[in-house]
Amino acid sequence: IPFPDAAYNHQYLNAKELADAGAAILFTDQTVRQTPEALAECAKELLNDPTRRAELSRRIGAFTDPNANERIWDDIQTLIRKK
């Protein structure tokens, strides 16, 4: 559920990219306010479907960088050396 007032709607756009890739389920704030039962039903379905949860987990993995912490640390060190 992206924050609806985020600058340039970036949270929605990021969430939509994940949802379009089958790596997330996207609900808008407006949808949840109008039909909170839909969110509850989705959560219930996921709780009862380990295969779907595993597939979401597998697909979200395509968006991760297992070396991100090292890359960030290297960037910090580079910035420190420049000062």
Side-chain angles (χ1 to χ4, degrees):
I1 305 170
F3 177 59
D5 297 324
Y8 306 107
N9 208 23
H10 74 280
Q11 287 193 4
Y12 173 80
L13 296 173
N14 290 339
K16 185 170 180 347
E17 183 175 350
L18 295 173
D20 288 349
I25 300 166
L26 175 59
F27 281 90
T28 64
D29 184 70
Q30 181 181 12
T31 300
V32 173
R33 288 176 188 268
Q34 291 175 349
T35 56
E37 303 83 14
L39 179 60
E41 184 61 30
C42 180
K44 182 179 174 183
E45 289 173 8
L46 284 173
L47 286 171
N48 293 314
D49 191 345
T51 303
R52 179 116 188 262
R53 291 194 316 269
E55 183 62 17
L56 286 166
S57 178
R58 185 187 70 75
R59 289 179 182 225
I60 197 74
F63 289 87
T64 63
D65 179 352
N67 299 314
N69 57 341
E70 287 94 6
R71 290 188 315 105
I72 292 168
W73 179 247
D74 290 345
D75 288 347
I76 291 170
Q77 293 299 306
T78 299
L79 289 171
I80 290 171
R81 283 191 288 265
K82 286 184 179 182
K83 289 188 172 202

